[in-house]
Amino acid sequence: QVQLVEAGGGLVQVGGSLRLSCAASGGTFSLYQIGWFRQAPGKEREFVAAISRSGGATSYAPSVKGRFTISRDNAKNAVYLQMNSLETADTALYYCAARSTAYGSAVSTRQNNYNYWGQGTQVTVSS
């Protein structure tokens, strides 16, 4: 069973950048596909980005494509979300999640496919 801990959230102005990290422990990290999701106040949790086990495949929500970049370092058991050109609409609690899959290139955008979740890190973008 893998445990996930997010870090790197904070307060930033519109147009600024943040880099979130997701540290994993307790499992063979390279066997897990990782996704980032977010939940804004009063809204449902939504998909942000995901990366395959090897890092060779990625997927992004249309609202963040071109501004956010997901990457992973399997040697460090970590996944990162580089967020640039932040907008007030990006304000949310950001979660990383892990999905055990036998398919190396699989990338899922569906929350129900993920088995393990972190506690989240808050990102606030101010104008």
Side-chain angles (χ1 to χ4, degrees):
Q1 184 171 350
V2 64
Q3 291 84 44
L4 304 170
V5 178
E6 303 93 337
L11 175 64
V12 64
Q13 290 189 327
V14 169
S17 298
L18 281 174
R19 188 193 194 206
L20 305 184
S21 63
C22 174
S25 62
T28 304
F29 185 64
S30 61
L31 295 181
Y32 292 91
Q33 184 230 309
I34 303 295
W36 283 98
F37 295 80
R38 67 186 182 187
Q39 186 168 21
K43 295 187 177 181
E44 294 187 352
R45 190 163 58 187
E46 64 177 5
F47 169 76
V48 176
I51 190 165
S52 62
R53 286 167 40 184
S54 66
T58 58
S59 179
Y60 296 92
S63 60
V64 307
K65 196 169 187 177
R67 299 187 298 121
F68 291 11
T69 302
I70 188 171
S71 62
R72 69 188 293 162
D73 185 340
N74 285 346
K76 295 184 178 179
N77 288 359
V79 170
Y80 307 99
L81 185 68
Q82 178 66 42
M83 306 187 297
N84 298 330
S85 302
L86 283 161
E87 305 167 354
T88 55
D90 297 318
T91 295
L93 187 61
Y94 283 71
Y95 300 90
C96 69
R99 173 193 179 210
S100 177
T101 175
Y103 300 99
S105 61
V107 178
S108 176
T109 64
R110 299 184 62 182
Q111 299 182 48
N112 289 344
N113 285 341
Y114 288 81
N115 311 101
Y116 307 101
W117 292 80
Q119 294 299 308
T121 185
Q122 179 66 39
V123 171
T124 303
V125 184
S126 68
S127 56

